[in-house]
Amino acid sequence: MKFDTCTFNAEYPVYGARFLENDVLLIAGGGGEGKNGIPNMLSVLKVKAPANRDISLDKVNEYELEAQDDSPTALDATGGTVLVGCNENSAKIESGEGNKHIRKFTYDPTTQKYDLTFAEGIDFDKSKDPNEYTKVINISHDGSLAAIASSTEPTTLRIINPADMSEEYEIESALEIKDLQFSPNGKIISYITKNSLELISTVTGKSLSRILDFNPNWNLSKIRFINDGCIVISAGLIKGSGIVLITVDFKSGKCTICKSKLVTKKFKGITSMDVDAKGELAAISTNDNSVILVKLNNLQMGKVFNQIHGFAITKIAISPNSKYVASVSAANTVHVISVPEGYALSLSVSEVLYKIFTRFVLVVIIGLLLQHIVENDLHTRFTKYVLDLKDRRNRTNGTNDDYFAQTTLVGNYTNTETIQGSVQN
């Protein structure tokens, strides 16, 4: 299968990425408040895929943030609403004047212009430490709720209403929250720490289920829902190199590890992960600036794109139609991979060879069995056995018929003809 790819120079370090449409990508980043001449930006890029030509990325629109503020660290977008995590300048934060670290932007999804309009900024954390920042943002599919978590430990997870930017409730985690996500139906918010998984009801804010006893050699890193009843978690090994994928089922109401697999020993760390809307394909960025595709039906590692960025990959995102995988980097680059249709369910070369081998072995076994039957005339013997068995059954049935025909009933027997004659008289 052919994978088309392209690279785009954003001209600033990129830290966040999210597909707004199947072929429209929103990215965020910048140089921060270092007065280095590198702006803090939100940019809208469009993937172009002309027939019989390589794909390319073009800039559609952009929005420049305040130069004295820090660069954006996280973002998410749904249905015309964009939430961005971005600290204000350190002097203002340290002075106690506040830090509007969550910025809301809007755009009209019915147009092709993607004009970003600033709506408001909110200070939820009330922190005076400029080193604290919003680490993760996720908006539910219907856009009714959003979850944000800071970089602090312990971590406060806040559930907010994107419509009016009010806080619904907050959840305290004793350990740093590594990653979080809403379920596709929006009824559950899940998060992981380095060694635990927690499922929270978005209706009540109470815990539904948890796992606290993962393998002690797993360092949990990223989490994504495969569907409303199943989660996939990626983890690095604490001792040794390797990436592990763990699937967790909670359809019964209790979290159960269904499967875990060491998908590769080549890479040690994970920087980002995303799962397509079909729940069939995972894309993972690694510590050596590579991207790997994993087929979720068997947790089989597929295509590997080695060192496609010159510096750390900060975010990876899959388009809603599962066609594109975009990775962004602090090296100012955006890389897009066009995934062939049906790739996630296709068989690898080794799987095809194994399937051919097993079928060949089956054919050989059947052939040997038939040869044995013919050489020993087993088919004739079997036919004769069946015919003899049928003949014996027929003789037995005939004997039973004669027996009942010759039997005379004994006891109070009344002749029906006598009864009829009596009635007539």
Side-chain angles (χ1 to χ4, degrees):
M1 291 186 171
K2 182 183 178 182
F3 292 82
D4 291 330
T5 64
C6 69
T7 301
F8 177 83
N9 184 4
E11 299 181 349
Y12 59 83
V14 189
Y15 302 112
R18 176 71 158 87
F19 275 94
L20 303 180
E21 304 289 346
N22 289 331
D23 58 354
V24 178
L25 179 68
L26 174 65
I27 62 172
E33 60 174 309
K35 297 182 180 180
N36 48 24
I38 302 174
N40 300 316
M41 302 289 296
L42 300 175
S43 301
V44 181
L45 310 177
K46 186 174 180 63
V47 184
K48 292 189 175 181
N52 301 320
R53 292 176 57 187
D54 294 336
I55 62 172
S56 62
L57 277 171
D58 289 341
K59 186 183 295 183
V60 176
N61 219 321
E62 61 184 13
Y63 185 99
E64 185 169 354
L65 303 170
E66 294 291 336
Q68 67 268 27
D69 289 349
D70 202 356
S71 54
T73 54
L75 70 84
D76 200 8
T78 297
T81 297
V82 178
L83 296 182
V84 179
C86 182
N87 278 358
E88 295 189 85
N89 66 82
S90 56
K92 181 183 178 184
I93 296 171
E94 290 174 338
S95 68
E97 297 179 32
N99 173 29
K100 296 178 180 179
H101 58 98
I102 297 295
R103 320 280 178 92
K104 177 182 176 180
F105 295 83
T106 60
Y107 67 93
D108 186 353
T110 63
T111 70
Q112 299 297 312
K113 295 181 180 180
Y114 301 97
D115 289 317
L116 297 173
T117 302
F118 176 73
E120 60 181 314
I122 302 291
D123 182 3
F124 289 102
D125 292 341
K126 304 295 188 295
S127 173
K128 295 182 180 180
D129 184 355
N131 293 317
E132 296 178 5
Y133 62 92
T134 302
K135 183 178 180 179
V136 192
I137 298 176
N138 187 236
I139 305 176
S140 62
H141 284 206
D142 63 2
S144 62
L145 294 174
I148 61 173
S150 68
S151 61
T152 59
E153 184 178 351
T155 303
T156 300
L157 188 161
R158 304 181 191 277
I159 305 298
I160 64 176
N161 183 344
D164 59 11
M165 297 299 284
S166 61
E167 181 176 314
E168 299 286 333
Y169 53 87
E170 58 187 49
I171 300 163
E172 297 292 334
S173 171
L175 299 176
E176 177 190 3
I177 291 178
K178 296 291 218 51
D179 198 14
L180 57 82
Q181 192 188 34
F182 285 101
S183 61
N185 61 14
K187 295 181 179 180
I188 296 173
I189 179 73
S190 65
Y191 71 85
I192 53 172
T193 68
K194 63 181 180 180
N195 55 14
S196 67
L197 163 69
E198 189 86 32
L199 299 183
I200 306 290
S201 167
T202 57
V203 178
T204 64
K206 296 182 179 180
S207 177
L208 297 174
S209 186
R210 60 169 62 97
I211 298 180
L212 304 175
D213 56 349
F214 285 98
N215 187 316
N217 196 37
W218 294 347
N219 182 18
L220 306 188
S221 178
K222 304 298 175 184
I223 182 172
R224 285 292 179 269
F225 277 86
I226 295 176
N227 53 51
D228 287 320
C230 188
I231 286 172
V232 61
I233 301 171
S234 60
L237 297 182
I238 296 174
K239 297 179 180 179
S241 295
I243 293 175
V244 177
L245 286 185
I246 309 112
T247 56
V248 177
D249 184 278
F250 54 91
K251 296 184 183 72
S252 64
K254 181 181 179 181
C255 288
T256 304
I257 296 177
C258 303
K259 187 177 182 180
S260 63
K261 184 175 182 179
L262 180 65
V263 296
T264 177
K265 293 182 178 180
K266 181 178 179 181
F267 309 104
K268 184 172 179 62
I270 302 161
T271 62
S272 184
M273 180 180 75
D274 200 11
V275 168
D276 74 330
K278 301 175 183 177
E280 297 173 349
L281 185 70
I284 300 172
S285 56
T286 68
N287 63 311
D288 80 333
N289 315 327
S290 298
V291 168
I292 62 176
L293 302 182
V294 178
K295 300 173 184 180
L296 292 175
N297 63 335
N298 56 7
L299 300 186
Q300 181 71 36
M301 187 174 72
K303 186 73 173 178
V304 180
F305 300 86
N306 290 304
Q307 299 178 335
I308 56 178
H309 293 275
F311 198 53
I313 298 176
T314 51
K315 188 68 176 178
I316 199 163
I318 302 178
S319 62
N321 62 357
S322 309
K323 186 175 181 179
Y324 299 115
V325 175
S327 57
V328 299
S329 168
N332 300 2
T333 50
V334 181
H335 189 272
V336 173
I337 301 164
S338 178
V339 181
E341 187 175 355
Y343 170 75
L345 299 179
S346 65
L347 298 177
S348 65
V349 174
S350 60
E351 289 172 322
V352 171
L353 292 176
Y354 177 76
K355 194 171 185 179
I356 293 173
F357 174 75
T358 54
R359 287 184 176 180
F360 173 76
V361 171
L362 181 60
V363 169
V364 170
I365 292 173
I366 293 173
L368 292 174
L369 180 60
L370 290 174
Q371 183 181 1
H372 177 73
I373 291 172
V374 172
E375 289 178 350
N376 294 274
D377 200 24
L378 297 180
H379 57 296
T380 303
R381 296 182 185 180
F382 179 74
T383 303
K384 186 177 183 302
Y385 170 78
V386 172
L387 293 175
D388 289 346
L389 181 62
K390 184 178 180 181
D391 185 57
R392 285 197 300 271
R393 286 181 176 176
N394 288 337
R395 287 200 302 271
T396 302
N397 290 337
T399 301
N400 290 340
D401 290 343
D402 292 341
Y403 172 79
F404 285 113
Q406 296 172 11
T407 301
T408 301
L409 295 176
V410 178
N412 296 324
Y413 172 74
T414 304
N415 191 312
T416 57
E417 292 181 358
T418 304
I419 294 175
Q420 290 175 356
S422 301
V423 172
Q424 290 174 358
N425 293 332

